[in-house]
Amino acid sequence: MTKKALLKEYEKNLQVVIKSAKESGLKDDQIEQCIRQSFKPLKKTSHDQKNHKIVKCSLLLLLPLSLFIYILLNVHTPTSSLVLRNVQGLTYPALKIVRIISVPIIKLFPSFTSLYDESCLVENPYFYLTDMDCWPCENIHSLLNLTGVDDVNPLEKLREGTPCIIEMNKPTVSLKHFQELYWNYSSELDLDANRLKVTGLNSGTLKAVANLTEENLSSNFHIHWRINKMIPARIVRKLFPKPHFLPERSGQAVERFLFIDGPKSNTYTLPNTECSYVFMIQGSGERIIALKPSNECKDKCKTIYVVMKPAALLLFNWWYWRPVSLPVKNSTSLSFTYMNSFC
């Protein structure tokens, strides 16, 4: 049916509707109002379709425009330099505005302030180096024991990629020492206690741990305490001082970890550290540390194992080795392991 025929059919049907309305007692203005109301949905549909077309066209234009700007800024050096010169002056005012806007949000969610101390909010689980040279770990089949060797600097071996172990002459750190430290500095340590992960205990607070005795702990008891604030880090250093061979001005990371394990605590992978040079100190008890090659080097290097005995210090480079903690067979005592890193 042609458009003209459709209009004639519509007009005929409309006349029938108007006649029927008049017979029902409706006045002419009421009939006209009803007819106008019937056209409103059609107008709305037409308007929505028009808006949809506008949005679609805008997106089609925006995509190539964004691609063009990105290529221009990354390829055309004069344009990139011009933009940077003009944008740099706006950086601090923009950050100031963002900070002002964030104040009400922080008031509503005070726990967000803990993110200020984080060096990395979201870690990339797919991080991988395609061209990494794995020669430092290719011929390593066991740890280098530097106990009593004074003419070899552990840092030199560490920079070469060789993992080392040193049996230090220092007091052990037991649950009793940890509890004494907490009661002396409870107000300061509780500020960072929200990063405590506990397995085998009903309450996951430092105060609950400070009230424990070894007799009422399960054999698979485990504590993972991550510290990334300066004050608690300084306090924990009273139990685990900086290794003697580290220079005074070494870039020691604030972030550090303390692991307390029962004699049959499950195997777990130790977390990634801020810096690549890692050292672990065994405070008391025993724990097996497996140094597994990183993903980049797993086809060229082999896993090596070491039993961490009290006062043992382990050094390795995180780029080549990833540590895993395992229980020691027939062990009967709690294990205290401290981990830190430096750059």
Side-chain angles (χ1 to χ4, degrees):
M1 188 178 289
T2 63
K3 188 183 290 186
K4 190 175 181 180
L6 284 171
L7 286 173
K8 283 186 177 181
E9 184 70 21
Y10 174 76
E11 186 178 356
K12 182 181 177 181
N13 292 332
L14 186 60
Q15 292 296 333
V16 173
V17 172
I18 292 172
K19 184 179 178 182
S20 177
K22 286 182 177 180
E23 290 175 355
S24 300
L26 292 176
K27 297 179 180 179
D28 291 344
D29 58 340
Q30 291 177 325
I31 295 172
E32 185 178 356
Q33 186 178 0
C34 290
I35 293 173
R36 289 182 181 276
Q37 288 289 337
S38 67
F39 281 110
K40 282 188 176 181
L42 295 175
K43 289 181 179 179
K44 184 179 180 182
T45 303
S46 177
H47 183 70
D48 290 344
Q49 289 176 348
K50 187 177 180 181
N51 287 340
H52 180 72
K53 288 181 180 179
I54 292 172
V55 172
K56 189 175 181 180
C57 291
S58 300
L59 289 174
L60 290 174
L61 290 171
L62 186 61
L63 184 61
L65 182 63
S66 301
L67 185 62
F68 172 75
I69 293 173
Y70 175 79
I71 295 173
L72 185 65
L73 291 176
N74 284 273
V75 175
H76 195 249
T77 306
T79 304
S80 178
S81 301
L82 179 66
V83 172
L84 285 174
R85 282 198 303 270
N86 289 278
V87 169
Q88 282 179 346
L90 301 175
T91 303
Y92 287 104
L95 290 174
K96 186 177 181 180
I97 292 172
V98 170
R99 184 172 179 83
I100 292 171
I101 294 172
S102 66
V103 169
I105 301 174
I106 295 298
K107 287 183 178 179
L108 287 174
F109 305 99
S111 60
F112 283 179
T113 55
S114 63
L115 300 178
Y116 292 164
D117 299 297
E118 297 291 342
S119 59
C120 176
L121 294 180
V122 180
E123 188 173 323
N124 181 8
Y126 303 105
F127 176 75
Y128 187 89
L129 291 178
T130 56
D131 57 346
M132 183 169 167
D133 192 351
C134 297
W135 68 265
C137 66
E138 284 182 349
N139 298 315
I140 301 296
H141 303 287
S142 61
L143 287 173
L144 179 64
N145 194 330
L146 296 180
T147 304
V149 180
D150 298 328
D151 56 344
V152 177
N153 188 347
L155 291 181
E156 292 180 2
K157 292 297 180 182
L158 186 61
R159 293 189 180 102
E160 293 173 1
T162 305
C164 313
I165 189 166
I166 304 172
E167 295 176 9
M168 302 183 298
N169 184 17
K170 65 180 293 296
T172 59
V173 178
S174 64
L175 180 62
K176 180 182 178 181
H177 297 112
F178 177 78
Q179 291 172 334
E180 289 176 354
L181 184 77
Y182 173 78
W183 292 121
N184 290 332
Y185 302 96
S186 58
S187 58
E188 293 89 346
L189 291 177
D190 282 338
L191 294 174
D192 210 40
N194 60 333
R195 294 173 178 81
L196 193 73
K197 297 178 183 179
V198 179
T199 302
L201 188 66
N202 293 330
S203 177
T205 64
L206 281 178
K207 187 174 182 180
V209 176
N211 287 308
L212 292 174
T213 58
E214 291 196 30
E215 289 75 18
N216 58 14
L217 289 175
S218 61
S219 59
N220 62 346
F221 173 76
H222 171 70
I223 288 180
H224 171 148
W225 186 21
R226 175 176 177 260
I227 305 163
N228 73 330
K229 291 184 179 180
M230 185 61 71
I231 294 177
R234 286 176 177 171
I235 294 172
V236 172
R237 278 181 62 176
K238 295 179 181 295
L239 293 180
F240 297 94
K242 183 175 70 173
H244 65 279
F245 53 82
L246 285 184
E248 285 296 326
R249 296 190 178 183
S250 62
Q252 193 172 352
V254 174
E255 181 192 56
R256 54 206 66 196
F257 300 89
L258 181 63
F259 307 98
I260 307 176
D261 294 289
K264 295 182 180 179
S265 178
N266 295 328
T267 300
Y268 58 89
T269 301
L270 279 76
N272 299 335
T273 55
E274 287 185 5
C275 297
S276 59
Y277 297 126
V278 185
F279 68 89
M280 299 178 62
I281 300 175
Q282 188 69 20
S284 61
E286 294 182 349
R287 197 75 181 167
I288 296 175
I289 300 298
L291 294 181
K292 293 188 174 183
S294 60
N295 288 332
E296 294 88 343
C297 300
K298 62 183 180 182
D299 295 330
K300 299 178 180 179
C301 306
K302 297 181 180 179
T303 302
I304 54 178
Y305 298 86
V306 58
V307 178
M308 295 287 286
K309 296 185 177 181
L313 184 144
L314 176 64
L315 289 162
F316 61 91
N317 191 326
W318 180 86
W319 283 108
Y320 308 109
W321 309 99
R322 304 298 165 86
V324 177
S325 180
L326 304 93
V328 175
K329 190 176 180 180
N330 298 327
S331 176
T332 58
S333 58
L334 285 178
S335 166
F336 275 75
T337 309
Y338 173 78
M339 184 170 76
N340 196 1
S341 61
F342 60 96
C343 305

